[in-house]
Structure formats: structure tokens, C-alpha cells
Amino acid sequence: MTDWFKASLDAQKQILDAQAEGLKLGQQAVDTGKAFADAQAASVKAAEANVAAWQAWMRLWGAGPW
């Protein structure tokens, strides 16, 4: 009876360890997704700043409709 009980506890521990590892990997995926979204947002801001700079440059030289 003791061996069965110990085996049951060991199996439950393995299940809990696997679930904890799954949660850890899920959090890593969320963190990676957030970093990617932050990088995308920074890229959009940089592109918008670049467009604004070129428009200002064109206005300075009277070379565009902006």
C-alpha cells in the first residue's frame, strides 16, 4: 500500500512540475510577444519621425506640397 501511495504522490509531483514548466514557457512567450510589439511600436514612431523630417526638409527647400 505504501508503494502505491508514494507512486501516486510522485506522479502528482511530476504533473505539477510539468504544469509549472508550461506556465513558465507561456510567460516567456507573452514576454517575447510584448517585446516584439514594443519593437514594432518603436519602428512605427521612427518611421513617422522620418516622414516628418523629410516633409520639413522639403518645406524648407520649397520642394513639396507639405
Side-chain angles (χ1 to χ4, degrees):
M1 181 85 164
T2 304
D3 291 338
W4 177 86
F5 187 71
K6 182 178 179 328
S8 176
L9 289 177
D10 289 344
Q12 286 180 349
K13 183 177 180 331
Q14 287 177 349
I15 291 169
L16 289 174
D17 289 344
Q19 288 176 337
E21 188 64 25
L23 289 173
K24 180 181 167 187
L25 292 174
Q27 186 60 53
Q28 287 176 351
V30 167
D31 293 343
T32 300
K34 183 181 180 322
F36 185 74
D38 291 346
Q40 271 187 320
S43 294
V44 167
K45 287 180 183 178
E48 289 171 346
N50 195 23
V51 167
W54 274 103
Q55 287 175 344
W57 184 255
M58 296 291 234
R59 276 194 308 273
L60 178 67
W61 292 100
W66 305 281

